[in-house]
Each structure stands twice: as C-alpha cells, then as structure tokens.
Amino acid sequence: MKSGFVSILGRPNAGKSTLLNALVGEKVAIVTSKPQTTRNRITGVLEVPARKRQPAAQIVFVDTPGVHKPGTQLDRRMMQEVYDALETRDVVILLVDASREMQLAEDDPAADMPAAILGTQVPEAGPGAPAFIENEGTEVSESRPEAPSLDREQAPRKRDWRSEDEFVLQLVRKLDCPVFLVINKIDLIRREELLPLIESLMKQFKFAEVLPISARKRDGLEALIEKLVDYLPKGERYFPPEQFTDQPERFLVAELIRERILMETGEEVPYAAAVVIEKFEEPPPAPAKVKKPRPLKGGGFAEPVLPVTSISAVIYCERDGQKAILIGKGGAKLKAIGTSARKEIESLLGTRVYLELHVIVEPGWRESRGFIDTLDWRKQLEDMAKRQADEVGENAGDE
C-alpha cells in the first residue's frame, strides 16, 4: 500500500480545479473561466486499486489558489494557502496552461539574478515562500491581467523578475521533492507547438516527469496517476476509502453559491463577493421502516419524496453598487443565483433544498484580516465546536 500528498501548483486559470475534479471523480472544487476562483486549499482523495506491478494507493490531492502577486489581504491569505500546501507534500504537480504564452527567460535560471531578490522574502509568507521583490511601480495590464506590465526601457534584458511565471518557478526551485511538469489544455494547441513549450520549461528546472494532458477531456490522466503512484512512499491511508474530500458540506455549499455568483455577474463583483452559511439544518434521520412506494394509476410507482435541507446564506460585498448588481432589478439576479445554486446543492446533498440568500455590504472586507479569518472553514468548525461546548456548559449549570 502506498499513500501520500500531491500538491497542485500553477498560475490562475491553468485548470487546477478541473484537474482535481477529474482525478477524484467528484466535484470538490468549483470551476469557472474567471481567474482566482479558488481561494482555499482544497483536498480531494483518490483511491487507486492494485494493478499489475503496482500496489494499491491513496493519493491525497491538494488544489491551491492560483499563484499571483498579492495585492490585498485576501490575496496574501490565498498565497499563504499555497505555501502551506507546499509544506506537507510528497510530490508537487506544476500545472501549465499550454494555450497561454509564458514569460520565461532562455538563459540559466540562476544567471543575472539580483542578490536582493535572493535575500528577500514575501511579506507574511510561510516557510515555503520563495524569494520575490514587491515592485511598487508595477501595474497589472488590462489586456493580460495575469501578467504585470513593464516599461520596456527599465525592464532587464535577460530576465523579467516581475513576471508571475518566474514567481511560480521560484517556488518550484525551492522544493526538495519530485516535481511533475504537467502541461494542460493540449487540446487547444497544435501538436507541433507542444515540444518547444516543453523544451523551454525544461531549461528552467529539472522536472521528475513531464506529462501532457487535457483535464477537461480526461486525456492522459491514467498515465499521470500511474506515475504519481510510482513516486509515493509506502504508507497507510490518511482517509477512509469512501471519503473523497475533507471539506464539510457547509463549505462545499458556500462554494457552490460563490460559483454561481462568478458565473452570473461580471466586472469586479465576483472578486468582492464572499459567502458565509448562517444556517444549515439537515433533515431528521430517515425512519428505519421504509414506506412502500405509492403505485400510480397508469402503472409504475411514484418517486419517493426526498427530505428537505434548509440553508440560509449571506453574500458579502464591499459596496452598495455591488449589492445592487447582486440583487438585480426586482431581485431577478439574486433569484437566478439562488435557483442555479440550489440545483447544484441538491445534487451534492441528495435532498431537496430550501435556500435563502441575503446580501450584506461589508466595506473593505478583502483588507480585513479578522473578516477573512471567519471565511476559513477550519476556523468556522472551531468556532462551532466552541459554541456547542459553551451551550453544553450553560445547560449543565442550569441543572
């Protein structure tokens, strides 16, 4: 038996969440075309049966937020999630979008590196943080939001140290574990374009394996899984065989609602929106004695009536204008978000769902460390456990 943790690292929109869902076979991470959709570390567990010449294995995949230059407290928290994921891993997948042009240097990665960069750490970064300098004069290009714009005359000739692609590679170069170069979206490029891309990336780092895939079409995933098992250490399972994620249902529900916000709204609204589940009332346990299905006049039997899960969620935004967009004329936009989210939630929970949504303005929440802490589902679970313990203590005192 083998087991281990595999962290998925990459730039925004590389397809990390799509890959995670495809590997696990369940929707454990929301997926949209907008960058920085993922804000937290998301765990997906894959059981790999024993095969010829290969033992059974459990692979614990950790999807991370897209690596980007942090601009807000929320961005810094997202990057800390990346560093934390890189601290506990046996293998790292560097996922690259084959359809996006990368800003890479052709020369030796260590050449021409300013000494100041080597000695500078990202503010508030964890132990796995790479060397990186914050350039106050760098602005994000409107045409390519993932890449900072540069003054051509001021830019270094051989290497652009403000490139976020270089930032990702700096993370990789600090790792002491096997790193797989996995090139995604190969279905979007011509075959003859693939080899030059691989060659340019191989000049940057000595990758343990190089695998081209299409996560969307599930092409190349079996080969990826086989190679990962080869590199994992021997060990027992970290999770029960039937468990496919460590995330609680409350967090998954909040993410499904946020996914619909990302899909239904544009401009700045998706990035200024956060979802918190205020109420999550599960239906009572099903009776031991199951009622016989009711026969229909035309033959057959009526579908059993599913129990109802009652959920109340708050959508936080930063400005009144964003609130107006989220609600829409006559509440039409909020209704559309709720209707589409409810269908996804019902599929997840296997029950009917009563979903209630509210929109609250929380000015500047993306810069509030205290507020951002409340969005962490791990912190939410701790707070819930503390409240329950306090209630038990109060009840015992009343008796």
Side-chain angles (χ1 to χ4, degrees):
M1 179 78 187
K2 287 188 168 187
S3 62
F5 288 80
V6 176
S7 294
I8 306 174
L9 180 70
R11 296 275 289 108
N13 262 14
K16 298 181 297 299
S17 297
T18 301
L19 175 60
L20 176 67
N21 292 341
L23 289 167
V24 176
E26 299 283 349
K27 186 172 182 176
V28 295
I30 62 174
V31 177
T32 75
S33 60
K34 292 182 171 66
Q36 298 175 30
T37 296
T38 302
R39 289 176 176 172
N40 303 274
R41 275 172 295 150
I42 297 176
T43 300
V45 184
L46 174 65
E47 284 288 317
V48 182
R51 301 172 185 175
K52 289 182 180 180
R53 305 179 192 172
Q54 196 172 67
Q58 183 182 80
I59 308 176
V60 183
F61 292 100
V62 183
D63 181 21
T64 62
V67 176
H68 62 287
K69 184 178 178 181
T72 65
Q73 185 65 39
L74 176 62
D75 291 335
R76 287 187 282 276
R77 168 59 66 85
M78 289 163 65
M79 286 306 302
Q80 188 61 53
E81 293 283 308
V82 174
Y83 303 138
D84 291 345
L86 294 178
E87 281 297 293
T88 54
R89 75 289 177 268
D90 297 288
V91 179
V92 167
I93 291 174
L94 174 59
L95 194 67
V96 172
D97 179 355
S99 66
R100 188 182 71 84
E101 182 182 356
M102 298 184 70
Q103 296 182 10
L104 298 175
E106 292 296 330
D107 54 309
D108 176 37
D112 303 316
M113 183 187 294
I117 289 181
L118 288 169
T120 305
Q121 295 292 319
V122 176
E124 303 181 29
F132 189 69
I133 279 186
E134 295 286 352
N135 293 284
E136 294 181 359
T138 303
E139 296 180 353
V140 176
S141 167
E142 292 182 2
S143 60
R144 292 190 60 190
E146 74 278 357
S149 62
L150 279 175
D151 184 332
R152 291 180 179 270
E153 295 181 358
Q154 296 178 357
R157 292 183 180 180
K158 291 188 178 180
R159 182 170 294 277
D160 173 10
W161 291 110
R162 286 175 282 187
S163 161
E164 293 184 346
D165 292 320
E166 288 291 349
F167 188 12
V168 177
L169 288 167
Q170 280 294 89
L171 280 170
V172 168
R173 291 176 188 128
K174 282 181 165 286
L175 298 174
D176 58 357
C177 67
V179 180
F180 284 23
L181 172 61
V182 178
I183 300 178
N184 190 26
K185 306 184 185 180
I186 59 171
D187 53 310
L188 301 182
I189 64 170
R190 297 190 302 272
R191 188 181 296 271
E192 56 268 23
E193 294 178 284
L194 186 58
L195 186 57
L197 174 60
I198 293 174
E199 289 177 345
S200 67
L201 287 165
M202 290 296 288
K203 291 178 182 178
Q204 307 295 322
F205 183 77
K206 188 176 180 180
F207 295 97
E209 300 286 346
V210 179
L211 296 104
I213 68 163
S214 171
R216 184 174 62 89
K217 294 189 173 182
R218 304 183 61 86
D219 184 20
L221 299 192
E222 283 300 316
L224 173 59
I225 292 169
E226 288 181 12
K227 286 293 184 181
L228 286 171
V229 173
D230 288 342
Y231 281 81
L232 290 182
K234 292 181 180 179
E236 297 303 313
R237 290 182 175 89
Y238 290 93
F239 296 93
E242 67 278 0
Q243 187 172 342
F244 60 85
T245 186
D246 65 343
Q247 301 168 91
E249 289 180 336
R250 293 172 69 104
F251 175 78
L252 292 171
V253 166
E255 285 290 273
L256 289 174
I257 296 170
R258 192 168 67 85
E259 179 181 47
R260 297 320 305 176
I261 295 171
L262 287 161
M263 300 290 283
E264 295 281 348
T265 60
E267 303 302 328
E268 82 284 358
V269 174
Y271 306 104
V275 179
V276 175
I277 303 300
E278 297 284 309
K279 182 183 75 172
F280 191 96
E281 292 182 357
E282 298 182 68
K289 187 177 180 181
V290 181
K291 293 182 179 180
K292 292 182 179 180
R294 179 172 57 86
L296 299 174
K297 289 182 179 180
F301 297 91
E303 290 288 332
V305 178
L306 295 173
V308 177
T309 302
S310 295
I311 300 170
S312 177
V314 174
I315 302 172
Y316 288 96
C317 58
E318 292 187 317
R319 297 198 296 271
D320 289 331
Q322 295 165 353
K323 179 178 180 179
I325 293 172
L326 284 164
I327 294 174
K329 187 176 181 180
K333 181 62 69 177
L334 192 62
K335 183 178 180 181
I337 292 170
T339 300
S340 53
R342 179 173 52 78
K343 293 176 182 177
E344 292 278 349
I345 297 168
E346 287 178 339
S347 177
L348 169 71
L349 302 180
T351 69
R352 290 179 293 161
V353 168
Y354 173 76
L355 179 60
E356 190 176 324
L357 297 178
H358 304 277
V359 182
I360 295 178
V361 176
E362 182 71 25
W365 71 260
R366 284 180 290 180
E367 292 292 353
S368 170
R369 181 176 296 180
F371 183 88
I372 292 170
D373 284 343
T374 66
L375 301 179
D376 189 334
W377 64 263
R378 301 168 187 87
K379 178 76 163 52
Q380 292 174 10
L381 289 182
E382 291 175 4
D383 293 343
M384 287 174 59
K386 187 176 183 300
R387 285 196 299 269
Q388 291 172 356
D390 291 343
E391 290 174 1
V392 170
E394 291 175 2
N395 293 336
D398 293 340
E399 294 176 1

